[in-house]
Short mmCIF file of all heavy atoms in Angstrom, two decimals:
data_model
loop_
_atom_site.label_atom_id
_atom_site.label_comp_id
_atom_site.label_asym_id
_atom_site.label_seq_id
_atom_site.Cartn_x
_atom_site.Cartn_y
_atom_site.Cartn_z
N SER E 254 62.24 -3.90 44.83
CA SER E 254 61.64 -2.64 44.93
C SER E 254 62.16 -2.06 46.24
O SER E 254 62.58 -2.65 47.09
CB SER E 254 60.06 -2.71 44.90
OG SER E 254 59.77 -3.59 46.06
N GLY E 255 62.00 -0.67 46.11
CA GLY E 255 62.44 0.17 47.21
C GLY E 255 61.53 0.41 48.36
O GLY E 255 61.86 0.54 49.47
N GLY E 256 60.35 0.44 48.00
CA GLY E 256 59.29 0.75 48.97
C GLY E 256 59.20 2.22 49.39
O GLY E 256 59.58 2.99 48.62
N GLU E 257 58.74 2.39 50.62
CA GLU E 257 58.50 3.81 51.05
C GLU E 257 59.73 4.68 51.05
O GLU E 257 60.90 4.15 51.17
CB GLU E 257 57.94 3.89 52.44
CG GLU E 257 56.63 3.34 52.65
CD GLU E 257 56.05 3.50 53.94
OE1 GLU E 257 56.64 4.35 54.75
OE2 GLU E 257 54.98 2.94 54.24
N ALA E 258 59.64 5.99 50.97
CA ALA E 258 60.73 6.89 50.96
C ALA E 258 61.56 6.71 52.28
O ALA E 258 61.05 6.58 53.31
CB ALA E 258 60.31 8.36 50.86
N LYS E 259 62.85 6.75 52.12
CA LYS E 259 63.79 6.60 53.18
C LYS E 259 65.00 7.37 53.08
O LYS E 259 65.18 8.08 52.15
CB LYS E 259 64.32 5.11 53.22
CG LYS E 259 63.34 4.05 53.54
CD LYS E 259 63.84 2.59 53.57
CE LYS E 259 63.74 2.12 52.12
NZ LYS E 259 63.33 0.78 51.99
N SER E 260 65.78 7.42 54.07
CA SER E 260 67.04 8.24 54.14
C SER E 260 68.02 7.61 53.10
O SER E 260 67.87 6.42 52.73
CB SER E 260 67.70 8.35 55.35
OG SER E 260 68.31 7.17 55.77
N ASN E 261 68.93 8.56 52.56
CA ASN E 261 69.92 7.94 51.56
C ASN E 261 70.65 6.74 52.28
O ASN E 261 70.92 5.73 51.48
CB ASN E 261 70.96 9.01 51.19
CG ASN E 261 70.46 9.97 50.28
OD1 ASN E 261 69.22 10.05 50.00
ND2 ASN E 261 71.30 10.74 49.69
N ASP E 262 71.00 6.92 53.54
CA ASP E 262 71.84 5.75 54.07
C ASP E 262 70.97 4.42 54.18
O ASP E 262 71.50 3.51 53.83
CB ASP E 262 72.20 6.24 55.49
CG ASP E 262 73.41 7.14 55.39
OD1 ASP E 262 73.84 7.38 54.37
OD2 ASP E 262 73.69 7.68 56.58
N GLU E 263 69.78 4.58 54.51
CA GLU E 263 68.90 3.35 54.48
C GLU E 263 68.76 2.77 53.18
O GLU E 263 68.80 1.55 52.96
CB GLU E 263 67.52 3.80 55.14
CG GLU E 263 67.48 4.09 56.56
CD GLU E 263 66.17 4.61 57.00
OE1 GLU E 263 65.63 5.55 56.36
OE2 GLU E 263 65.79 4.32 58.18
N VAL E 264 68.55 3.63 52.12
CA VAL E 264 68.42 3.10 50.87
C VAL E 264 69.62 2.48 50.28
O VAL E 264 69.60 1.25 49.92
CB VAL E 264 68.12 4.23 49.85
CG1 VAL E 264 68.28 3.77 48.37
CG2 VAL E 264 66.78 4.82 50.02
N LEU E 265 70.88 3.01 50.55
CA LEU E 265 72.12 2.41 50.16
C LEU E 265 72.34 1.08 50.93
O LEU E 265 72.84 0.17 50.28
CB LEU E 265 73.24 3.40 50.24
CG LEU E 265 72.91 4.65 49.22
CD1 LEU E 265 74.03 5.70 49.62
CD2 LEU E 265 73.08 4.29 47.85
N GLU E 266 72.15 1.09 52.13
CA GLU E 266 72.33 0.03 52.98
C GLU E 266 71.64 -1.26 52.46
O GLU E 266 72.14 -2.32 52.26
CB GLU E 266 71.83 0.21 54.47
CG GLU E 266 71.86 -0.84 55.37
CD GLU E 266 73.27 -1.29 55.89
OE1 GLU E 266 74.27 -0.59 55.64
OE2 GLU E 266 73.40 -2.35 56.39
#
Side-chain angles (χ1 to χ4, degrees):
Chain E
S254 58
E257 290 189 16
K259 289 179 275 226
S260 75
N261 279 15
D262 285 352
E263 288 168 320
V264 169
L265 296 173
E266 173 73 13

